[in-house]
Amino acid sequence: FARQETVSVHGKALPPAMGVTTAINFQPTGGGRAAINGDFAMTADEVQNVIQALRAGGIEIVEVHNHALDDEPRLFYMHFWAHDDAAKLATTLRDAVDAHKVKPAG
């Protein structure tokens, strides 16, 4: 998912392909279960909303960090993972996606 706003560094726009996106990996593991992991790209005011959405569905947060020093808006990245019921995980991920300002990429 690409950010809705343009992300720039030193006045130069960064396209989503430069990694300023939310990436979600979803792997079925059988029996209606799936393993998931990925990285949410969020502004500071979105971090707590995404944390709350993920935790509400039992998805574990691995770390929160930043990639750049001069990005605008300033982005923070949150890695996550879980192995659980696939439908439950998909619903939780949808809630987390809706908790920050992104749009489908591509």
Side-chain angles (χ1 to χ4, degrees), residues 53-77:
L54 293 174
R55 286 187 174 160
I59 295 175
E60 294 189 40
I61 294 147
V62 176
E63 70 177 341
V64 177
H65 63 277
N66 61 322
H67 289 177
L69 297 175
D70 301 320
D71 49 343
E72 182 60 42
R74 180 70 187 233
L75 294 180
F76 297 87
Y77 297 84

Side-chain angles (χ1 to χ4, degrees), residues 5-96:
E5 70 275 76
T6 299
V7 178
S8 63
V9 172
H10 301 293
K12 304 286 185 193
L14 295 177
M18 292 295 293
V20 291
T21 60
T22 291
I24 297 173
N25 303 299
F26 197 97
Q27 177 66 48
T29 58
R33 294 173 59 88
I36 62 165
N37 71 0
D39 201 12
F40 279 85
M42 308 156 295
T43 58
D45 62 326
E46 297 168 337
V47 171
Q48 286 302 315
N49 296 334
V50 174
I51 287 173
Q52 290 172 1
L54 293 174
R55 286 187 174 160
I59 295 175
E60 294 189 40
I61 294 147
V62 176
E63 70 177 341
V64 177
H65 63 277
N66 61 322
H67 289 177
L69 297 175
D70 301 320
D71 49 343
E72 182 60 42
R74 180 70 187 233
L75 294 180
F76 297 87
Y77 297 84
M78 182 184 314
H79 292 270
F80 64 92
W81 92 277
H83 183 238
D84 203 342
D85 177 79
K88 174 186 167 190
L89 293 174
T91 299
T92 300
L93 288 171
R94 177 80 254 179
D95 292 343

